[in-house]
């Protein structure tokens, strides 16, 4: 199969840290252009906007959109209207309505669209899903805590409406849990700790349950220092399953089943190549819906101002 010519929209931290290395190592994609008003890559055609890139590279087959969420709807619409396959960095939009509009447009145009939940491609996720599918689940505990100063330095947009605050990493945990659990679950209550100078939470405590009232507790915190915590524990009739290190380590009933190097973004681009080739979409809004529910039901508590 010949390589897929792809353009990258937004050359910020996530694009430099993850998308560029994944595209560079992929046998399926060839980066031919970028769209960013502030950044150029040596040896790659650079444009100030997506519109300019689409005009300048009319044979482009796909675009990966890595801009802040409030920009993604208009950019994805433009790419789809030009007949391009679209990969959306998580979350796929600022609102559920935006994503639904894009999904409908992608279907009308026959263009593949991929809501790319990268954490679902962590090494232990698929095996965890298979093991849990045949077992009775008693309880789930999620602990997702990291240092915002390390992962989002100088990124003030994360504290503005649409930036999601601690749900920017927290949605990664939700993307895994919605993938590995065999049935849907629902938010029952939430506490959101919002700094006095911010619009989005720096920490959150969430209580979910499924139709069988299985308790699911989640604790998200952006104030973690030292070692970072990305753990999910599921108690079942046959013992505890633990996905730790963001899903790179799988332990079942005290035995290490899998411990592998993280390759989320390369695996994610492998899947996108399959979607582009097969002309199909993969758009799941369940993680974003849970975040929207948290903002809807959550009790807000004002905490100390955030100072970077």
């Amino acid at each position: 199969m010949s390589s897929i010519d792809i353009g990258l929209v937004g050359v910020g931290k996530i694009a430099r840290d993850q998308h560029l290395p994944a595209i560079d190592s992929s046998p399926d994609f060839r980066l031919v252009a970028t769209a960013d008003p502030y950044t150029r890559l040596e040896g790659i055609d650079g444009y100030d906007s997506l519109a300019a890139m689409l005009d300048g590279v009319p044979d482009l087959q796909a675009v990966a959109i890595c801009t802040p969420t409030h920009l993604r709807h208009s950019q994805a619409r433009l790419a789809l209207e030009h007949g391009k396959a679209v990969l959306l960095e998580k979350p796929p939009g600022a609102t559920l309505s935006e994503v639904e509009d894009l999904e409908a447009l992608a279907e009308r145009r026959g263009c593949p669209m991929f809501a790319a939940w990268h954490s679902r491609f962590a090494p232990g996720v698929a095996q965890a899903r298979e093991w849990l599918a045949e077992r009775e689940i008693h309880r789930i505990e999620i602990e997702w805590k990291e240092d915002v100063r390390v992962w989002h330095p100088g990124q003030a947009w994360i504290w503005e409406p649409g930036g999601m605050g601690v749900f920017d990493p927290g949605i990664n945990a939700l993307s895994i849990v919605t993938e590995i659990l065999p049935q849907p679950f629902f938010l029952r209550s939430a506490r959101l700790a919002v700094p006095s100078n911010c619009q989005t939470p720096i920490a959150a405590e969430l209580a979910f349950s499924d139709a069988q009232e299985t308790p699911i507790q989640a604790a998200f915190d952006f104030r973690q220092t030292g070692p970072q915590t990305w753990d999910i524990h599921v108690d079942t009739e046959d013992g505890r399953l633990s996905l730790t290190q963001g899903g790179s380590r799988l332990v079942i009933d005290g035995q290490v089943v899998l411990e592998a190097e993280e390759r989320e973004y390369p695996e994610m681009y492998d899947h996108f190549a399959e979607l582009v080739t097969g002309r199909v979409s993969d758009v799941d809004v369940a993680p974003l819906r849970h975040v929207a529910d948290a903002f809807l039901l959550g009790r807000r508590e004002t905490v100390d101002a955030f100072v970077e």
Side-chain angles (χ1 to χ4, degrees), residues 285-306:
V285 297
L288 183 58
R289 184 181 295 115
H290 283 304
V291 172
D293 287 350
F295 279 103
L296 184 66
L297 284 181
R299 180 180 295 276
R300 288 159 174 79
E301 300 177 356
T302 302
V303 296
D304 291 343
F306 172 77

Side-chain angles (χ1 to χ4, degrees), residues 74-89:
S74 60
Q75 291 170 336
R77 277 198 67 93
L78 183 61
L80 292 169
E81 288 167 350
H82 279 74
K84 313 304 180 186
V86 172
L87 181 153
L88 289 160
E89 172 61 62

